[in-house]
Amino acid sequence: MIHFVRFGAVVALLTCIGVAAADEYSVLEYMSIHRAEKPSWQALGSEFAYLTNISGIPQVWRIASRTGYQHQLTFDTCGVSGCWWSPMDPSVMVIATPAVGGPSRLYRINPQGGQPSLIAGDGVNHCEFGCWAPDGLRLAYVVSSPNRPQIQVSEYLISEAKSVVLFEMTGMCVPVSYSQDNQLVLIERKQSVLDGDLLLYDRASGDIRGLTQHSGNIRFKSPKWDAKAAGFYFMTDQEREFMGLAYWSLDSAQFSWIETPDWDVEEYALSRDGAWLAWVINENGLSSLQVRNLRRNTDTPVQRFPRGVIRDLTFSPDGSQLIYSFASSKRDFDVWVYETYADKLHQATFSAVGGISRESFVEPQNVEYESFDGRKIPALWYTPVGSSQAKPAIVFLSDSPNDQARSDLSSQIQFFVSRGFAVLQPNVRGSSGYGKTYMSLDDGEQRTNSVQDVEYAAKWLASRSEVDAKKLVVFGCGYGGFLAFAALAESPKTWAAGVSVAGVTDLVSFIERAPAVKRTCREAEFGALSGQLEFLAGISPITRASNITSPLLVIEGRKDSRCPGMEGERLIEAVQAGNRSARFVRVDYDGCRPVGIKDRIASCAAVEEFLNEHVLKRKK
């Protein structure tokens, strides 16, 4: 039997779902866990801006770094995805906002107040911020059209409030760093998630020169000029399994290594004066922050910084402060400040956790299980505290083929654990963080191997005494939704139920709908339509839907362009044979997953009701 549930009907459930027991926190409380991230320094270094979802959807706030006084800057109905303060003028900031059901726009705002002015974006073409010029007189950005394989690289001139096209290039590229004299621009070009190059653009001559020509899968990314424009820092995995940090000299046209750990260097920051360098190493999902005084060649002990997940490194204009976003399994992302010369560390933002006791959050264990070919699959393992009875369990799958499950606070996982579910979050082959070979193991016709990794996750769960093997659930969002569908079709007797949020049901149409500039990357990951059409159609969930016999919940966005709701409906209709239970929930969110608090509550409430009925066998 098919159930079609609309947004209004789900909202009506909120008062009765998630509060069955007096000692349980509600769906609303878990979805009210806030975060603060993506900070950007003001030109004087006395304050910074950041994004937070405290109002229910990400908006820009500003905070004085010393007094802690803060207030909201943006009130966009669709939220904000990024903010970049001018390096010279405190009255100029650029923000990126997702258009309704479509691509991003770039706006210029005055943080002191006033109406935003549009830099680029028409609701059809996608705009992406690149970088500010050091003098603050211009910024670079890119514009891509859904149907054109060329990307347009442009500059916005602040004083004239107008844009100038610099050049066009086929494929994905973005300008990432101006030299100190504002004349040379480093361009990052991406062929796939495993292959990227660096280019040099000369603003005076208009020449574009390739710097890192190579064959095979090698990544060169995130270049940043040094203070004298004699060269630049960047990350690469050339002749290595993992990403390292290196320095490129323009004179010699060669590079030397700065750091080559046996894990990935995943990001770094350089102070404007070239005195400080900081980088983050991803050690099995936990971040290790390294801070080096380049003039003294001394390092801050890594024990100075708490263990968790660190990102968004940014030095203040004078290099005296380093801000970054930090999260752990008991706290979502907040902004922290490290005073480099004073060697002092403090937390700058304090995001609420929905009134939930932090002590109730469960810390995951790092585990491994063996897959079909003997390969060890790393995973995070969450188990509820208390009851010794065998528990239902959820295999929780990542949103993207290359995502890595990490030990930051997941409101969704903690909610499931609070309801008595154990949760296994596997990093199936294709995940980042374990070397480029591991990342490539699901490409093209190897895709079915990652599906088997999901099946063997279920086998690992079933072998554990604390798990009820008859109550296994597979849950995924986006690409994880595709894996959930595939696992339900491949081993239908394994699962008590399955849930997909914005899951990919048809790989052929998924590739066909890809923006032209991203088509090559998507085909490198999943397979080319020209030569692998039959394979892609054959492994698509819509083709194998008749194999799904477990109760199924599909949640789709009304305005989701990547995974349109009509495809979810088609799959639900295909599952209906044999009186199998299938439920479709359409929520009014934009993009490829729920972001606003109303949409997240509606989605989570629908999932809880579904699991109560089909797994826990609780009455409404």
Side-chain angles (χ1 to χ4, degrees), residues 260-282:
T260 55
D262 291 330
W263 297 97
D264 281 330
V265 175
E266 56 185 359
E267 70 170 89
Y268 73 100
L270 178 69
S271 65
R272 193 179 299 180
D273 61 3
W276 292 92
L277 181 67
W279 62 93
V280 175
I281 300 173
N282 177 352

Side-chain angles (χ1 to χ4, degrees), residues 308-593:
V309 179
I310 294 174
R311 64 190 189 198
D312 306 328
L313 301 178
T314 310
F315 279 102
S316 61
D318 63 359
S320 66
Q321 299 178 84
L322 172 68
I323 51 176
Y324 58 85
S325 306
F326 170 79
S328 69
S329 57
K330 290 184 177 289
R331 63 174 65 245
D332 212 336
F333 283 98
D334 266 309
V335 180
W336 289 60
V337 180
Y338 174 62
E339 299 178 40
T340 53
Y341 293 103
D343 189 30
K344 294 180 179 179
L345 178 68
H346 69 271
Q347 186 175 343
T349 64
F350 295 84
S351 298
V353 288
I356 301 170
S357 168
R358 293 187 191 275
E359 295 306 310
S360 70
F361 295 140
V362 173
E363 292 191 37
Q365 299 175 6
N366 281 301
V367 298
E368 290 182 331
Y369 65 88
E370 193 171 289
S371 192
F372 69 98
D373 56 356
R375 183 174 292 276
K376 298 290 186 179
I377 306 300
L380 296 178
W381 174 230
Y382 298 79
T383 53
V385 177
S387 173
S388 59
Q389 293 182 341
K391 304 167 183 65
I394 296 174
V395 177
F396 192 98
L397 302 169
S398 297
D399 295 6
S400 160
N402 311 119
D403 277 356
Q404 180 188 25
R406 304 187 67 174
S407 299
D408 51 334
L409 179 60
S410 166
S411 59
Q412 185 81 71
I413 289 178
Q414 295 294 340
F415 174 77
F416 288 146
V417 175
S418 77
R419 295 314 192 251
F421 287 89
V423 177
L424 182 69
Q425 194 176 15
N427 283 307
V428 299
R429 64 194 72 203
S431 302
S432 61
Y434 307 98
K436 60 184 178 183
T437 298
Y438 194 80
M439 280 184 70
S440 69
L441 291 178
D442 68 341
D443 290 350
E445 297 190 9
Q446 300 177 95
R447 184 68 44 195
T448 54
N449 293 342
S450 57
V451 177
Q452 292 192 69
D453 290 344
V454 178
E455 296 170 27
Y456 275 75
K459 293 178 185 293
W460 183 84
L461 288 171
S463 71
R464 301 185 68 86
S465 60
E466 69 266 42
V467 173
D468 186 340
K470 295 181 180 179
K471 295 182 178 180
L472 301 184
V473 179
V474 61
F475 176 100
C477 179
Y479 171 71
F482 161 80
L483 287 180
F485 286 139
L488 288 166
E490 188 66 28
S491 51
K493 295 182 179 180
T494 298
W495 308 100
V499 179
S500 168
V501 181
V504 178
T505 62
D506 187 341
L507 287 177
V508 175
S509 65
F510 179 66
I511 294 172
E512 289 175 339
R513 284 194 307 272
V517 296
K518 295 183 178 180
R519 178 78 169 262
T520 300
C521 285
R522 196 166 286 185
E523 290 195 327
E525 177 70 47
F526 292 97
L529 294 180
S530 59
Q532 296 169 294
L533 180 62
E534 183 177 351
F535 166 76
L536 291 168
I539 67 169
S540 292
I542 192 65
T543 305
R544 310 185 68 217
S546 61
N547 290 358
I548 298 175
T549 59
S550 305
L552 174 65
L553 173 65
V554 175
I555 299 176
E556 301 282 2
R558 192 181 302 276
K559 302 167 186 174
D560 186 344
S561 59
R562 291 205 316 174
C563 305
M566 61 182 180
E567 293 195 352
E569 291 185 22
R570 282 175 53 209
L571 185 135
I572 288 288
E573 291 168 357
V575 173
Q576 66 181 330
N579 199 32
R580 288 166 290 173
S581 178
R583 184 173 302 171
F584 185 87
V585 174
R586 175 168 285 162
V587 183
D588 283 327
Y589 65 81
D590 305 327
C592 58
R593 61 184 57 85

Side-chain angles (χ1 to χ4, degrees), residues 25 44 58 67 154 199 261 311 318 356 380 386 391 603 613:
Y25 293 105
L44 301 177
T67 65
S154 299
L199 311 175
R311 64 190 189 198
D318 63 359
I356 301 170
L380 296 178
K391 304 167 183 65
S603 298
E613 178 182 352

Side-chain angles (χ1 to χ4, degrees), residues 7 42 89 108 211 598:
F7 177 78
Q42 177 236 47
D89 188 348
R108 169 182 174 174
L211 300 175
K598 288 194 302 181

